[in-house]
Amino acid sequence: STKTLAEKTYGIFKVGSVNCKSEEELCEEFSVRESPSIVFFPEVGDEEELYKGQKTWEKIFQFGSSRMQSFVRVVNNQNYGDFITSNPTNHKVLLFTSKKVTPPLLKAISKRYQAKLYFGEVRQSETEIIQRFNVSKFPTLLVVADGETHAGVVYEGPMNRDSIEKFLNKYAYE
């Protein structure tokens, strides 16, 4: 249902529903000829895209999140030094994750703080960085306090957008 999809995507991307009986012009403008139809509107550039997959909230969520803009850099042992010295005026935020792709929540947050914070993600296979930061559980989100000594301020709250943003605001706007 649209309600479930909207609940699951809250804070990640927006979902809306349109009744084509009462909004004929709008549906015609976007070439919606059958109901239900799902149309994806990209954040920049490209034309909207008609979703043709299974109509489950999981599949729609996957489809939408794979098309989101991301301002997150994958950080590994080889590029760690470059990550830490890039954007010297911005605090660095690292997500230590067991996921193989950038989590949609992190993509959304990275876009929100694009000019204020610099985001990286460390995959579970990067054992050296994980040990240096003394990370023992996934996911772990932290703000790097000292890149050379691998010191950071670990976020302890729930993994939802509102709570994470409250934590990050002090670093984004100080």
Side-chain angles (χ1 to χ4, degrees), residues 5-6 9-17 39-41 68 161:
L5 183 62
T9 61
Y10 174 76
I12 297 171
F13 55 84
K14 292 183 174 116
V15 173
S17 80
V39 182
F40 173 77
F41 295 91
M68 289 173 69
R161 184 164 179 167

Side-chain angles (χ1 to χ4, degrees), residues 38-52:
I38 297 160
V39 182
F40 173 77
F41 295 91
E43 295 163 273
V44 286
D46 305 328
E47 293 275 309
E48 63 275 354
E49 184 180 348
L50 190 63
Y51 172 73
K52 293 179 173 74

